[in-house]
Amino acid sequence: MDADTATSLPYRAGVGVVLIDAQGRIFAAQRKDSPSAAWQMPQGGIDADEKPRKAALRELWEETGVTEDLVEFVAKTKGWITYDLPPDLLGHVWGGKYRGQRQKWFLFRFLGRDDQIDIETEHPEFSEWKWVTADEMLAAIVPFKRALYAEVIAQFRDHLA
């Protein structure tokens, strides 16, 4: 796909979740569908007629098994934050209909125990998970999402380890 076609495509509406433990460390998980290290935070699309916060809680549950009663809402990003797909993924991800995503991010504090996190969900996306610092999360994210993650972390920095 050429650059002009890519820039004419819309952004997919999505959400992301920064799940932190009592020490302010971030939940990070290794994607199952990546041959190389691809650690990320829970994130995904917003369904039709779904509010962003509801979508964030749904994505959190679908990807980690963590239910709404195990988290406390802390903050959300100001406005939407975008990222563009790299050229090798354009035209392949999301049926080639989007150039990237515009996301609203939510910060939730995990109130449960680690054994209540279950990434072996109905449609598992992750092979393993761990708690990391903000700097470790930035170092582990795929390069095309790094600026987005940096902005999210900057907005939530006061709550992070």
Side-chain angles (χ1 to χ4, degrees):
M1 178 176 298
D2 65 56
D4 288 337
T5 303
T7 57
S8 69
L9 293 173
Y11 285 105
R12 177 178 181 245
V15 292
V17 174
V18 180
L19 183 66
I20 58 172
D21 67 4
Q23 290 79 42
R25 295 177 300 172
I26 298 169
F27 172 93
Q30 167 65 43
R31 291 196 56 85
K32 269 191 167 193
D33 61 1
S34 179
S36 59
W39 291 84
Q40 69 175 50
M41 297 181 276
Q43 56 192 59
I46 299 174
D47 292 340
D49 299 323
E50 188 176 35
K51 299 285 187 202
R53 184 167 166 172
K54 181 93 171 163
L57 289 166
R58 176 186 47 78
E59 285 292 335
L60 182 64
W61 175 75
E62 287 177 359
E63 296 182 6
T64 70
V66 171
T67 54
E68 187 173 349
D69 62 314
L70 292 176
V71 298
E72 171 186 49
F73 171 77
V74 179
K76 66 180 179 179
T77 53
K78 294 170 182 65
W80 297 82
I81 306 170
T82 61
Y83 73 84
D84 290 336
L85 290 168
D88 61 312
L89 294 179
L90 270 173
H92 302 288
V93 177
W94 306 308
K97 296 188 285 189
Y98 303 100
R99 68 191 278 185
Q101 284 198 82
R102 69 179 183 95
Q103 298 177 321
K104 173 76 70 173
W105 281 77
F106 295 84
L107 176 64
F108 293 102
R109 180 170 286 105
F110 182 58
L111 305 174
R113 300 179 319 270
D114 285 2
D115 65 358
Q116 292 174 293
I117 296 174
D118 182 10
I119 59 173
E120 290 301 320
T121 59
E122 185 176 344
H123 303 286
E125 294 189 27
F126 302 128
S127 58
E128 61 183 296
W129 71 272
K130 61 186 174 181
W131 296 110
V132 299
T133 66
D135 290 341
E136 290 168 332
M137 185 72 258
L138 281 175
I141 189 60
V142 292
F144 70 92
K145 291 183 184 176
R146 191 160 291 134
L148 176 137
Y149 270 46
E151 176 62 26
V152 170
I153 286 171
Q155 288 194 35
F156 295 155
R157 180 61 78 179
D158 291 346
H159 304 284
L160 305 175

